[in-house]
Structures are given as C-alpha cells and as structure tokens.
C-alpha cells in the first residue's frame, strides 16, 4: 500500500461550469507555476484551452491579452513585474509536431519562462519529463453546454509531492 501511494502521480479532476470559472482556474494555477515550467493543454477546439491560458496570464501578471493566434503559433507575454514571461504556444494546428518549435527563434530563454502549449486532442508529446498535463473534455450528456471536465496531472520530479487539490477550492 505504501508503494502505491508513493508511486501515484499528483492529479486532480475538476468540473468547471463556465468560462469565468475556467479563467479563475488559470489564475489559481498561476500561483503554482514558476520559471521553467511546462504546461500542456489537450482538448478539442472550443474546449477552453485559450480561456484557461488567459486566466493564467492574468495570474502571472504578464503584458498583453492571451488570444488564439491566427497566424503566429507562439507569442511571448513579458512579465509586468519581476516574474517569468509567459510563452503561449498554440500548436493545435501544428502538423509537424513540436520539432517545429525549434524553428520559432523566440527571443526569450525557455528555462526562464512559463511555457503553455495548446495541443489537439490525443496529441501528448513528450517535450520534457517534467510537465503539468491538463486535459479538458466537453461534458457529454451534461445539462448545459458550459460544463467542462478538467484533469490536471503533474509528471516528473518537478511535480512529485505537489498538492494540486488546492485548485479544487
Ligand atoms: N466552462 C467553460 N470553460 C471554458 N470555455 C467555455 C466554457 N463554457 C463555454 N465556453 C466557451 O467555449 C469556448 C472556448 O474557447 P477557447 O478557450 O478558445 O477554446 P480552445 O482554445 O480549447 O479552442 C469559448 O467560446 C468559451 O466562452
Ligand atoms: Mg485555443
């Protein structure tokens, strides 16, 4: 039993009832993040990945509104204070995988940034062992269109022992 507990990954499953609540979740999540962190968001188009990232940007206190980029696939939002910049990658439409990211030539140090990657459903690429994996599902058969099921899982040493349950408050 002890081994089972030690081996389990930090994970939390949330029901998010509206876009505003999704933003709140992003703001709360920002408090857990630090420079060098990678967050991978998976979910279909319209799941709420960008909405969550918007809250994250607000929580981190970065410049510029987080939007869905139409032509660029990555955008750097510098901190308004002394925190890390947010690098927002919208890889939803990326066909060639995250290798393409190396060609982006972002004018920022990735280890000193918080990186958020929006990714299409089922595309979980291992950019690094240490990452916060967030999967957003539209509720099937729920009573309103606005219900989303969000599962957050911390992978790697970075997240081992982290208590994600604070996010369910
Ligand atoms: N609970 C919810 N969380 C997030 N977005 C929601 C929710 N309910 C409805 N929506 C709507 O769904 C859409 C999500 O869009 P967006 O965040 O751009 O998704 P994605 O980046 O995953 O394609 C928005 O129009 C938003 O208003
Ligand atoms: Mg998006």
């Amino acid at each position: 039993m002890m081994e089972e507990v030690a081996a389990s990954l930090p994970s939390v499953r949330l029901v998010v009832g509206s876009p505003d609540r999704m933003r709140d979740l992003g703001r709360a999540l920002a408090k857990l993040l630090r420079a060098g962190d990678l967050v991978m968001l998976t979910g279909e188009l319209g799941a709420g990945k960008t909405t969550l990232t918007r809250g994250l940007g607000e929580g981190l206190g970065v410049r510029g509104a987080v939007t869905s980029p139409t032509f660029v696939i990555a955008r750097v939002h510098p901190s308004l204070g002394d925190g890390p910049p947010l690098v927002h990658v919208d890889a939803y439409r990326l066909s060639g995988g995250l290798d393409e990211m190396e060609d982006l030539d972002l004018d920022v140090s990735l280890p000193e940034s918080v990186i958020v990657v929006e990714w299409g459903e089922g595309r979980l690429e291992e950019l690094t062992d240490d990452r916060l994996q967030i999967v957003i599902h539209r509720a099937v058969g729920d009573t309103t269109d606005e219900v989303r099921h969000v599962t957050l899982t911390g992978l790697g040493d970075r997240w081992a022992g982290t208590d994600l349950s604070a996010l369910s408050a």
Side-chain angles (χ1 to χ4, degrees):
M1 292 303 281
M2 294 283 283
E3 286 85 345
E4 269 177 50
V5 170
S8 70
L9 299 168
S11 188
V12 67
R13 299 177 65 179
L14 307 171
V15 178
V16 178
S18 70
D20 281 349
R21 290 281 87 81
M22 190 66 90
R23 268 171 96 149
D24 291 345
L25 175 59
R27 285 197 204 97
L29 183 56
K31 297 196 181 107
L32 297 181
L33 296 175
R34 56 180 190 237
D37 280 346
L38 172 69
V39 178
M40 294 199 72
L41 290 168
T42 300
E44 65 183 39
L45 198 60
K49 303 181 295 293
T50 300
T51 304
L52 178 60
T53 309
R54 191 166 296 139
L56 232 165
E58 289 164 2
L60 288 173
V62 297
R63 194 198 312 151
V66 170
T67 58
S68 299
T70 311
F71 297 109
V72 285
I73 58 171
R75 188 171 285 152
V76 179
H77 298 269
S79 176
L80 292 167
D82 53 12
L86 170 66
V87 179
H88 176 211
V89 182
D90 196 338
Y92 189 88
R93 291 171 194 80
L94 261 193
S95 53
L98 288 175
D99 289 348
E100 285 182 23
M101 269 190 71
E102 284 168 19
D103 304 332
L104 291 179
D105 197 21
L106 296 171
D107 189 22
V108 69
S109 157
L110 295 182
E112 289 166 17
S113 308
V114 168
I115 308 164
V116 177
V117 182
E118 292 190 37
W119 205 227
E121 189 144 36
R123 298 188 63 180
L124 308 178
E125 255 175 58
E126 291 179 29
L127 195 67
T128 138
D129 289 340
D130 289 317
R131 63 191 190 276
L132 186 68
Q133 187 70 62
I134 304 180
V135 181
I136 308 177
H137 283 298
R138 247 179 228 266
V140 178
D142 270 321
T143 45
T144 81
D145 284 348
E146 298 209 324
V147 175
R148 301 290 191 269
H149 293 259
V150 183
T151 305
L152 302 96
T153 308
L155 297 162
D157 291 345
R158 157 65 177 97
W159 293 98
T162 305
D163 184 12
L164 295 176
S165 65
L167 296 171
S168 50

